[in-house]
Amino acid sequence: MNKHHQTLELDRVLQMLAEQTTCPASRELALRLTPCDQYRDAADALRRTADINTLTNRYGTPSLGGIHDCTGALQRAKLGARLSAGEILQIGRVLRTIRTIKKWRGQGETATAADDLFRSLSPVEGLEQDITAAILSEEELADTASPALADLRRRIRRAQLKVREQLDGIIRSPQYAKALQEPIVTLRDGRFVVPVKIECKNEVKGLIHDTSSSGATVFVEPLAVVEANNEIRMLQNEEQLEIDRILQEFSERIGQVADTTRDSFEALLQLDLLFAKSRLADNMKATVPELNEDGIIEFKKARHPLIAKDKVVPVDIRLGGDFDTLVITGPNTGGKTVALKTLGLLTLMAACGMMLPVAGGSRAAVFGHVLADIGDEQSIEQSLSTFSSHIVKIIEILQTADRQSLVLTDELGAGTDPTEGAALAVSIINALRQRGARLAATTHYAEVKMYALQTDGVENACCEFDVATLSPTYRLLIGVPGRSNAFAISRRLGLPEEIIEEARGMVSSENTRFEDVVSELEATRQQLENEVTAAETARGEADRLRAEMRRQAEAHEAALEKLETDARDAARALVERTRSRTDLLLNELEELKKQKDKADFSEKVAAMRQGYNRRIEELRDTADPVKEKKQEEYRLPRALREGDTVTVAAINRQGTVIAGPDKNGAYQVQLGNMKMKCEPGELRLPEDAPKPPKKKQSDGMRTTRPGNAQREARTELDIRGMASDEGLMEVDRFLDRCMLMGIKNVTIIHGKGTGVLRAAVQQHLRRLSIVKSQRPGMYGEGEMGVTVVELK
């Protein structure tokens, strides 16, 4: 790997990427991944990753596990070689994976930047299915691989069974009982033999094939089964020839699609690499940065991917916009090097087409070279000191750097005399800027900080450090030079005050004034930052309250509008329902008028029609616009019974309840010569109406006492054991009683028995006009032993 990339630890990120792949070949691709040095290539790679991430988040990530590199086997098959069963099986797995990934892509209709890879997948379903059906493992073919193979194996089994039967006769024979070591049949060199004691080997005539390790047993093939064993061996040879023929046939078929399958396999590897990038992005909670070729970097809330999630501190890094050089200062262990490595590593990851662990709205640039001088690499063999090692690297960087380069240097000019080192650092920065490179460098030199303050295009930055706790915050503050805080840290750690004061006196007055200015700037910055934070908090709270008030106002307005709409709809429905019922009533009156010859009757009908029309128009006027009205709520003081005198509120006329309630809860009321169906809410029971008389409990009633004693009509009739005629009479009486009481659903228990009584009851029910439907009982109701009846 490029040593600059290795310095920035790109190899460790690629190792993390390789762990997300699902097959060895794509793992190698991940480890060999190199950053793109052209904007178009990097942008295309990043778009592919982003599109695949969108697909996997919507449809899940498919697995390519279990496939291996089969390009060698495909090439040999193309040249006519016969592949082994294991190689053919591996190619079958590849074909199955190709088909699976192709089908997975078919779920999404939106075009993606990786569609060219999906189009390169060419499934061969017929070949794949044949391989799966014929080859069971790397060592075994299925009997169904060919009719000839199935026939040969059937003949082999038959011959083996014949040999075993002959040998079973031998080992059970008393003639050979003493000669056999054990009464078993075994195999040696593919031939069936029996174990014989060494001293009795001449008693069993046959061929000796093997001797036990102890030498006490010889394995003899009796002469009686030699021919049968020979037949089995011949059949096995034919079986192997048939297997070779099948494998050759599969190899020829694979050779015909070798090129397209190889292209599909290579596309699979690229897709698996994209799936790995997507999985890694999800693990890092990464986003897609905006790429550019102008050298502008703006990472928001950037996190170093190799630092644990619970320890990493997000930093904001900018470079290449208002300034092309960033000088990072601050105390040791303050996070300067981490910020530098984060800048370089994320730039390389973006060039590799990887999503970055940054906040949305971040921007990344593509560079031809990313050059890094980070770390202390003394070389004893080359007699190089720390300073010499850095200078050697700087020389190499100066030879390579150009307008398409990002240069990262740590402790620039360190390791030598401070005055000379600072001057050398400034000179190196100038040289790199003249070459057009983007530069980020860390330093402790006050001269370099001053240079950054005085030079256009060069910006200071510092890693914040809390002197009170002697701990860094790891925040990168751009635009503010940092202090080394050596005196403060030394005092905090307990260095004697006189030593610190003596050292402070040795510092030049110019440096002291500079450090004082930096301290004042830092104090002002912190004060302004606190004020900005407070202002942003207040503004956020104000925005939240404003949004909450707007939401509540919109909710109230929507609720008011809904109430008005509902009220208008309800009023219109009331008018239409009233008109419909009135028309029905008037039509009935017209029919009655035809039957009456009295003149005064017609006049009454006309007056009634006029009154109803006037009432309807009044109701329509009140329906729109909507006006708030408190409607009188009325609830019947008790359930209505047949014979109750009630008032129909809509027409303010009294009538008598003659039936009800039905299954919808409505009652039928007799108004003179007219009958009318009314809802309970439309009826009024006079306050002085007498309560209905209590009935004595009889055969057809059962009593329940949930609180006050109430009588409830019986809904079941048991006629088991009755003759058909007697049972049908009881059914008629029971149904008549239920109709009078308004009961709609009843159960007749007739038992299963011979089915005669059940058939008679069900046939009788079909002839009754009061029966709406009937059905046998369900599980838990009595099943075929009962009939459930619904009355009209």
Side-chain angles (χ1 to χ4, degrees), residues 5 174 230 268 280 282 288 296 328 334 354 391 575 617 662 687 716 720 773 777 780:
H5 299 173
N230 288 341
L268 274 184
L280 183 61
D282 290 339
V288 181
I296 299 175
I328 306 174
M354 301 173 68
I391 292 301
V575 171
E617 292 302 323
D662 59 11
E687 295 181 1
E716 293 180 355
R720 288 178 292 184
S773 66

Side-chain angles (χ1 to χ4, degrees), residues 143 146-156 158:
D143 292 353
S146 76
L149 182 62
D151 180 62
L152 284 169
R153 288 183 173 176
R154 185 166 52 251
R155 291 166 60 188
I156 289 172
R158 189 183 304 119

Side-chain angles (χ1 to χ4, degrees), residues 234-454:
M234 291 175 61
L235 290 172
Q236 288 174 339
N237 290 338
E238 292 182 27
E239 176 193 23
Q240 186 59 48
L241 290 175
E242 178 61 16
I243 290 175
D244 293 343
R245 187 196 67 78
I246 294 171
L247 296 180
Q248 181 63 44
E249 181 181 334
F250 273 123
S251 300
E252 292 173 358
R253 293 176 64 184
I254 291 172
Q256 294 172 0
V257 295
D259 291 338
T260 56
T261 303
R262 182 177 59 251
D263 294 341
S264 296
F265 179 73
E266 292 174 355
L268 274 184
L269 299 184
Q270 294 295 333
L271 286 170
D272 192 39
L273 183 59
L274 290 176
F275 291 141
K277 289 180 180 180
S278 174
R279 280 189 285 264
L280 183 61
D282 290 339
N283 292 342
M284 296 190 301
K285 297 182 179 179
T287 62
V288 181
E290 178 186 339
L291 277 188
N292 68 86
E293 52 186 338
D294 302 323
I296 299 175
I297 298 173
E298 184 179 5
F299 293 146
K300 300 177 181 179
K301 306 295 181 184
R303 307 180 302 279
H304 196 289
L306 299 178
I307 300 178
K309 295 178 181 179
D310 57 340
K311 296 181 179 179
V312 66
V313 177
V315 295
D316 296 334
I317 307 175
R318 292 185 289 113
L319 180 64
D322 300 334
F323 50 89
D324 56 36
T325 301
L326 186 65
V327 176
I328 306 174
T329 54
N332 292 324
T333 72
K336 300 189 303 296
T337 303
V338 171
L340 206 62
K341 283 190 171 183
T342 301
L343 174 61
L345 182 56
L346 296 190
T347 298
L348 292 175
M349 289 173 61
C352 289
M354 301 173 68
M355 296 167 64
L356 305 183
V358 295
S362 296
R363 293 192 289 175
V366 179
F367 295 95
H369 306 285
V370 177
L371 309 170
D373 172 25
I374 300 174
D376 182 6
E377 296 184 5
Q378 299 185 45
S379 174
I380 297 177
E381 294 179 358
Q382 299 179 16
S383 301
L384 295 178
S385 65
T386 300
F387 177 74
S388 301
S389 174
H390 281 304
I391 292 301
V392 169
K393 289 183 180 179
I394 292 297
I395 292 171
E396 294 177 358
I397 289 173
L398 287 170
Q399 292 172 348
T400 307
D402 56 17
R403 300 185 64 84
Q404 296 298 319
S405 298
L406 172 65
V407 179
L408 308 170
T409 64
D410 192 24
E411 302 296 349
L412 185 60
T416 186
D417 177 76
T419 302
E420 295 180 353
L424 194 58
V426 171
S427 181
I428 292 171
I429 292 174
N430 280 329
L432 289 169
R433 293 190 68 208
Q434 289 173 3
R435 287 165 170 77
R438 300 292 189 270
L439 171 64
T442 66
T443 185
H444 285 284
Y445 294 137
E447 292 84 353
V448 181
K449 303 176 191 179
M450 186 66 71
Y451 166 79
L453 286 172
Q454 297 173 343

Side-chain angles (χ1 to χ4, degrees), residues 219 221 237 582 584 645 660:
F219 296 93
E221 179 186 7
N237 290 338
T582 304
L584 179 62
T645 299

Side-chain angles (χ1 to χ4, degrees), residues 538-554:
R539 185 175 62 183
E541 180 65 17
D543 291 343
R544 187 190 65 79
L545 292 175
R546 189 181 299 109
E548 179 66 18
M549 292 176 63
R550 186 183 301 111
R551 186 190 64 79
Q552 290 181 0
E554 291 174 353

